[in-house]
Amino acid sequence: MPSLLATAHNTDLRHRAHDLRNLFGAIASARHLLDSAPEEPRRSQILAALGDAAERGDALTTSLLAADSGARPERLDLAARLRRLEPLLRTIADGDTRLTLDLGERFAAIRVVPEQFDHIVIELVANACHAFTRPGAIRIRLRAARGRVRLIVADTGAGMSRSDCHALLTRPATDGANGTGFQQVCGFVESLHGRLHLRSTPERGTVIVLDLPSLLRLHR
């Protein structure tokens, strides 16, 4: 039997490969959008997203080659991180999907490996985009209160039945590429001792809530 260390290492490699697939998808979407010759400031936004995707791809490739799994959690301001991710997220959403960021007014921070948080947000947005059969909308909301942070990703896509939601939440962990994206989201939330809520209605869309323990602002 493979050791626990080897299994964890292989899982980490799969997660990073999954990240690379999402980045390649974003680059392909950006290439398609540039073909339509958009005007400023949309063109600048697309180019910024391409640059960000290239930097992330370089970092992921470097870590894969080095087999570096020693990243340490750190204090992360989620609103600032989401603003940094915004150009890439808009490119993943493509021109047919309206993406809205509602980051609230309260300070929201958690202790996490920043790249892991990026991966989860990109995964949620990419999954939401795959649920669209027609132009729709994705809204990312951030709320903080009573020692908790809530990251809410809502879409107006195809939605799921109650039984499909239950199957998704209770699906056993798999080693293959199919269906592992949402399992990674669940594992991320569990690793932070948080809670995940899923609500979906066929033809009306899906709402995913990541309810996580927050860190207080440090006053100097």
Side-chain angles (χ1 to χ4, degrees), residues 44-115:
S44 295
Q45 184 182 76
I46 295 170
L47 289 172
L50 277 170
D52 185 42
E55 290 179 4
R56 292 177 185 279
D58 178 70
L60 278 169
T61 303
T62 299
S63 66
L64 281 168
L65 292 172
D68 174 21
S69 59
R72 295 181 179 275
E74 61 184 68
R75 183 186 188 88
L76 191 66
D77 180 342
L78 298 191
R81 194 71 180 187
L82 286 167
R83 291 189 188 97
R84 180 178 172 184
L85 279 174
E86 185 176 359
L88 180 59
L89 297 177
R90 290 193 180 281
T91 300
I92 293 172
D94 206 340
D96 293 333
T97 303
R98 186 174 71 255
L99 177 68
T100 304
L101 267 63
D102 176 6
L103 304 182
E105 298 179 355
R106 294 193 177 186
F107 180 74
I110 62 175
R111 186 170 181 80
V112 67
V113 176
E115 290 75 18

Side-chain angles (χ1 to χ4, degrees), residues 1-142:
M1 291 181 60
S3 68
L4 291 177
L5 182 60
T7 300
H9 177 70
N10 290 336
T11 300
D12 181 63
L13 291 179
R14 286 196 301 272
H15 288 185
R16 297 184 193 208
H18 202 77
D19 285 346
L20 280 174
R21 186 181 69 179
N22 284 333
L23 287 174
F24 288 140
I27 291 170
S29 295
R31 172 72 169 79
H32 170 72
L33 291 173
L34 285 175
D35 282 342
S36 64
E39 297 181 356
E40 297 290 347
R42 180 59 171 153
R43 182 178 176 82
S44 295
Q45 184 182 76
I46 295 170
L47 289 172
L50 277 170
D52 185 42
E55 290 179 4
R56 292 177 185 279
D58 178 70
L60 278 169
T61 303
T62 299
S63 66
L64 281 168
L65 292 172
D68 174 21
S69 59
R72 295 181 179 275
E74 61 184 68
R75 183 186 188 88
L76 191 66
D77 180 342
L78 298 191
R81 194 71 180 187
L82 286 167
R83 291 189 188 97
R84 180 178 172 184
L85 279 174
E86 185 176 359
L88 180 59
L89 297 177
R90 290 193 180 281
T91 300
I92 293 172
D94 206 340
D96 293 333
T97 303
R98 186 174 71 255
L99 177 68
T100 304
L101 267 63
D102 176 6
L103 304 182
E105 298 179 355
R106 294 193 177 186
F107 180 74
I110 62 175
R111 186 170 181 80
V112 67
V113 176
E115 290 75 18
Q116 289 181 354
F117 176 78
D118 295 352
H119 163 71
I120 293 304
V121 175
I122 291 170
E123 182 69 34
L124 289 172
V125 171
N127 285 349
C129 290
H130 293 156
F132 288 118
T133 57
R134 59 183 182 275
I138 300 172
R139 186 176 187 182
I140 300 175
R141 299 178 64 199
L142 188 63

